[in-house]
């Protein structure tokens, strides 16, 4: 809480802000160290075709693996990275590592589309599309196998600029997903101006399937919307059979969640994939699905 008053600068800092400032400093130091010494790691969560069970792709999710306490997830450290200027190097590392891994797996005959989360602060940089172009060239990834996940909020901050960047990305052949769909603002108006390839319906709606009529109504509406705009639709946060059943019956094609697998380190993801593919319908090995 910012206090205005005669007591001077000290009055600006409530106890909460001091704690927050200390936390930010602590995280900033850990992130800087992780960047310098290799303490970041990617985990991968499969994205599954709900009808056939086939794995259509994977989402790369960054972890701070520095062994320090407390353990922090990206929901805690990405916002800090955004405010202290470290999101650019972290984002660059994530994209590079995800592409490197995709190409390595592809060389072993495992063709998986990889989705990478990009935050607003990263996306807004003037050279973002150029960075991705350079990455596609240097990594050798088939651009159709790379998906950039953005939130509506990231895009709506500067719609005109965002549309230009998205067109540049799409010209490369890279695909665009709108993440956490339904939780931002201007969802529907943005869809008329933007060219996304897929929507990811936010997990809060999926979590409400069993108990909340409004959540089901939102899901039904988004399924209809994706269908009529010819967009792929991924449901996030599928944790149980009943959510899976509902989404499949309603015609949602893709999903991810703990019901299938948690995000896993690369070797475990590969093992999961090998076990999983024997129980799923044979995949189309030619094209990069998802
Ligand atoms: P997101 O992109 O919407 O990713 C989905 C989050 O939901 C992940 O959390 C994933 O582990 C979690 N999740 C997946 N299935 C389930 C489920 O069935 N139940 C529940 N309860 N959760 C599930 P995570 O890995 O902690 O990431 C949180 C957020 O941090 C991500 O949300 C994304 O916005 C951000 N993030 C993660 N990695 C990166 C990154 O490399 N760069 C940027 N800029 N942001 C990232
Ligand atoms: Mg995501
Ligand atoms: Mg999401
Ligand atoms: Mg999210």
């Amino acid at each position: 809480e910012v206090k205005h008053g005669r007591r001077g600068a000290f009055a600006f800092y409530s106890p909460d802000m001091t704690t927050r400032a200390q936390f930010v400093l602590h995280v900033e130091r850990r992130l800087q160290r992780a960047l310098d010494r290799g303490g970041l790691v990617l985990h991968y969560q499969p994205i599954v075709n709900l009808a056939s069970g086939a794995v259509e792709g994977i989402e790369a999710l960054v972890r701070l693996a520095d062994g320090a306490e407390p353990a922090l997830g990206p929901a805690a450290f990405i916002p800090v990275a955004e405010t202290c200027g470290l999101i650019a190097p972290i984002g660059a590392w994530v994209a590079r590592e995800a592409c490197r891994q995709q190409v390595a797996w592809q060389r072993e005959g495992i063709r998986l589309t990889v989705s990478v989360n990009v935050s607003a602060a990263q996306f807004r940089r003037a050279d973002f599309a150029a960075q991705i172009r350079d990455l596609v060239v240097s990594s050798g990834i088939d651009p159709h196998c790379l998906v950039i996940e953005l939130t509506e909020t990231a895009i709506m901050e500067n719609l005109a600029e965002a549309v230009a960047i998205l067109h540049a990305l799409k010209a490369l052949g890279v695909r665009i997903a709108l993440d956490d769909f339904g939780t931002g603002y201007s969802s529907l108006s943005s869809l008329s101006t933007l060219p996304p390839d897929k929507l990811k319906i936010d997990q809060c709606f999926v979590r409400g399937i069993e108990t909340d009529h409004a959540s089901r109504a939102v899901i039904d509406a988004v399924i209809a919307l994706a269908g009529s705009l010819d967009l792929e639709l991924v449901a996030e946060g599928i944790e149980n059979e009943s959510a899976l059943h509902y989404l499949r019956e309603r015609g949602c094609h893709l999903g991810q969640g703990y019901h299938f697998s948690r995000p896993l380190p690369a070797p475990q993801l590969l093992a999961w994939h090998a076990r999983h593919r024997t129980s799923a319908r044979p995949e189309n090995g030619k094209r990069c699905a998802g």
Side-chain angles (χ1 to χ4, degrees):
E1 185 201 1
V2 178
K3 288 186 183 141
H4 303 279
R6 305 183 197 89
R7 270 173 292 172
F10 292 112
F12 273 92
Y13 300 97
S14 71
D16 277 349
M17 284 182 73
T18 309
T19 311
R20 176 70 191 164
Q22 285 168 345
F23 176 75
V24 166
L25 260 177
H26 164 82
V27 175
E28 187 179 343
R29 281 199 206 99
R30 279 173 66 175
L31 290 175
Q32 187 61 63
R33 209 164 42 214
L35 277 166
D36 294 343
R37 300 184 197 168
L40 294 172
V41 69
L42 293 183
H43 285 190
Y44 298 92
Q45 187 176 39
I47 300 170
V48 172
N49 182 314
L50 299 184
S52 70
V55 180
E56 300 272 315
I58 46 173
E59 178 173 8
L61 295 153
V62 70
R63 276 33 184 157
L64 187 55
D66 59 0
E69 289 291 331
L72 294 173
F77 69 76
I78 291 290
V80 173
E82 284 175 343
T83 59
C84 71
L86 289 177
I87 194 62
I90 291 175
W93 180 86
V94 166
R96 215 165 45 234
E97 174 61 12
C99 290
R100 185 201 63 75
Q101 185 63 76
Q102 196 282 344
V103 169
W105 279 334
Q106 170 113 14
R107 291 206 178 109
E108 296 173 39
I110 298 146
R111 193 168 163 92
L112 291 168
T113 295
V114 68
S115 295
V116 173
N117 293 282
V118 170
S119 70
Q122 207 186 333
F123 176 70
R124 268 201 309 270
R125 290 169 61 98
D127 60 347
F128 179 71
Q131 278 179 20
I132 297 296
R133 187 196 54 220
D134 292 349
L135 178 63
V136 165
V137 172
S138 63
S139 67
I141 193 171
D142 175 347
H144 287 99
C145 292
L146 178 61
V147 180
I148 302 287
E149 295 197 2
L150 295 159
T151 61
E152 297 158 67
T153 318
I155 288 167
M156 294 311 293
E157 276 173 14
N158 185 344
L159 187 58
E161 199 181 54
V163 169
I165 297 170
L166 292 184
H167 280 295
L169 292 173
K170 291 196 70 162
L172 297 172
V174 168
R175 290 185 291 167
I176 310 294
L178 277 191
D179 204 354
D180 304 348
F181 188 73
T183 60
Y185 69 105
S186 302
S187 321
L188 301 179
S189 67
S190 66
L191 286 181
S192 61
T193 354
L194 293 170
D197 301 283
K198 54 175 87 185
L199 304 178
K200 298 190 76 171
I201 189 160
D202 193 76
Q203 48 184 285
C204 70
F205 304 112
V206 175
R207 204 167 296 137
I209 282 176
E210 280 179 279
T211 52
D212 180 26
H213 171 71
S215 291
R216 290 193 296 275
V218 170
I219 288 174
D220 294 352
V222 174
I223 290 173
L225 183 69
S228 48
L229 292 175
D230 202 21
L231 303 175
E232 282 183 50
L233 184 62
V234 183
E236 302 193 88
I238 300 176
E239 291 188 352
N240 51 53
E241 191 67 47
S242 72
L244 168 61
H245 182 78
Y246 182 88
L247 290 159
R248 191 168 46 206
E249 293 307 300
R250 294 293 167 132
C252 178
H253 295 299
L254 301 169
Q256 61 189 106
Y258 296 169
H259 179 69
F260 303 107
S261 171
R262 290 185 177 253
L264 297 170
Q268 280 95 310
L269 186 277
L270 204 59
W272 180 92
H273 184 248
R275 286 197 308 276
H276 183 84
R277 95 195 292 182
T278 57
S279 57
R281 227 159 59 185
E283 287 170 63
N284 178 346
K286 270 254 163 96
R287 126 201 122 89
C288 221

